[in-house]
Amino acid sequence: MKTFKKVYIEITSVCNLACSFCPQTSRKANFIKLDTFNNILDQIKPHTNHIYLHVKGEPMLHPKLDELLDAAHEKGFNVNMTSNGTLIDKVKHKLLGKPALRQINFSLHSFDGHEGSTDREGYLRSILSFVREIAEHKVIVSFRLWNLTQDNMTNLERQRNRETLEILEKEFSLDYKIEEKVVPGSGVKIADRIYLNQDHEFQWPSLQAPEDNGKGFCHALRSQAAVLVDGTVVPCCLDGEGVINLGNVNDTPFSEIVEGERANNLFYGFSRREAVEELCRKCGYRQRFGA
């Protein structure tokens, strides 16, 4: 039986922002129902103890987020969540004191990625206020600033990042500039259980992208799998459109889906360092693991 470090469960395909680095999904707007969520948890339980409430969409939009966290706790799951953080004041009462919640990642680059964002200081102040409140619950917090470019950043981009980092440095009384410590692709610890992670701008794979030689390796269906809000199982969190549809948990058990023919072809293909799926051959993330 395949086991995973984590399984992504997309609890909504809806987002309240329109960021330049994150294409809007063409899938139907949807929110997962509590009984469906419980059914998915039962199906994936033999495969993992860690779930991530994200693929596309903003998880804090889900009206029953607190009930989903309670359900995850009842079934013994640790929960990680990725959010743009804009709704934290409205939903923090649904998060505080939830024992299932292990880690929250705040995508701070969404502030500049979303055209029309205003009041950077107010945005960060709300998030930092929540971080102070949740500290006693020993939840890990990761601030993400994934907007570095392969070429030199413009002065405006650097200035925006500096404004964000300056607020964090002041909040945590740092005696250094974060840029001096952080290495792209990895994090720097700035306080107890609090990290800052910088990386290059994220590129979602697309069938419209150019195809490479198809060589390389990926952890899809090795360390992770994902279930979209409609029940579609995909091999990784990067397949935000459900292109590599391995099956649907509403029709077929998750255990059968991840051992199905298409899933195994992908899995054993990467064992030979070959990308057998078209989307995988057009995904730049695979290049991180070498040819």
Side-chain angles (χ1 to χ4, degrees):
M1 178 182 290
K2 290 188 177 78
T3 56
F4 308 105
K5 288 183 180 178
K6 56 202 173 191
V7 171
Y8 291 80
I9 303 177
E10 182 186 69
I11 61 174
T12 179
S13 56
V14 180
C15 189
N16 62 322
L17 299 185
C19 295
S20 57
F21 56 82
C22 185
Q24 296 287 299
T25 179
S26 61
R27 293 182 286 119
K28 179 184 175 184
N30 206 349
F31 290 85
I32 203 166
K33 291 181 171 57
L34 183 58
D35 58 348
T36 303
F37 185 72
N38 272 301
N39 180 36
I40 292 171
L41 293 182
D42 289 337
Q43 291 194 43
I44 69 173
K45 185 59 183 172
H47 301 270
T48 191
N49 291 319
H50 293 265
I51 59 174
Y52 284 52
L53 303 185
H54 189 64
V55 176
K56 285 289 185 82
E58 169 52 56
M60 291 188 186
L61 278 173
H62 200 291
K64 295 187 176 180
L65 179 58
D66 49 348
E67 295 180 46
L68 299 181
L69 290 171
D70 289 340
H73 176 62
E74 287 170 14
K75 296 181 186 295
F77 286 94
N78 294 307
V79 178
N80 283 32
M81 186 185 309
T82 298
S83 170
N84 58 47
T86 56
L87 303 173
I88 194 63
D89 284 340
K90 294 180 180 178
V91 304
K92 63 182 179 181
H93 66 283
K94 296 182 179 182
L95 302 173
L96 292 168
K98 293 299 183 185
L101 193 57
R102 173 186 174 271
Q103 179 171 334
I104 299 184
N105 308 312
F106 287 107
S107 299
L108 302 185
H109 49 283
S110 62
F111 182 86
D112 291 314
H114 176 73
E115 188 177 345
S117 293
T118 58
D119 190 13
R120 181 190 310 274
E121 193 169 334
Y123 163 71
L124 291 170
R125 192 187 309 117
S126 293
I127 292 174
L128 292 171
S129 173
F130 168 77
V131 170
R132 285 192 293 271
E133 288 184 74
I134 207 167
E136 64 181 275
H137 300 289
K138 305 196 184 309
V139 174
I140 298 167
V141 174
S142 175
F143 298 118
R144 291 178 171 178
L145 212 48
W146 290 1
N147 60 359
L148 302 177
T149 55
Q150 298 292 349
D151 305 319
N152 289 328
M153 297 178 73
T154 66
N155 287 334
L156 177 59
E157 289 169 330
R158 277 199 210 90
Q159 179 187 335
R160 287 170 170 174
N161 275 0
R162 179 91 293 273
E163 288 171 6
T164 294
L165 295 174
E166 206 167 78
I167 291 170
L168 295 178
E169 289 160 3
K170 184 177 179 181
E171 170 72 18
F172 297 103
S173 303
L174 303 183
D175 60 359
Y176 58 86
K177 288 190 173 183
I178 290 173
E179 301 100 310
E180 297 168 359
K181 300 272 187 178
V182 74
V183 176
S186 64
V188 57
K189 186 176 182 178
I190 58 178
D192 185 33
R193 291 185 295 275
I194 299 176
Y195 300 85
L196 186 286
N197 185 290
Q198 278 198 284
D199 208 341
H200 292 100
E201 184 172 309
F202 184 77
Q203 295 291 327
W204 286 89
S206 167
L207 291 177
Q208 280 68 56
E211 191 169 312
D212 61 23
N213 61 12
K215 299 296 182 183
F217 177 78
C218 182
H219 291 282
L221 293 180
R222 277 183 161 76
S223 68
Q224 63 169 279
V227 185
L228 301 181
V229 69
D230 67 351
T232 299
V233 177
V234 291
C236 72
C237 64
L238 304 188
D239 188 359
E241 293 303 306
V243 173
I244 307 174
N245 183 342
L246 302 176
N248 193 295
V249 292
N250 298 314
D251 307 319
T252 308
F254 180 84
S255 295
E256 289 184 24
I257 291 172
V258 295
E259 293 291 354
E261 182 179 5
R262 189 173 186 181
N264 280 332
N265 284 343
L266 183 149
F267 181 93
Y268 291 114
F270 280 127
S271 296
R272 303 187 303 270
R273 297 198 169 269
E274 293 177 11
V276 300
E277 290 282 350
E278 181 184 1
L279 187 69
C280 298
R281 294 193 295 272
K282 296 180 174 184
C283 177
Y285 201 82
R286 175 170 45 85
Q287 297 163 3
R288 296 186 179 204
F289 306 110

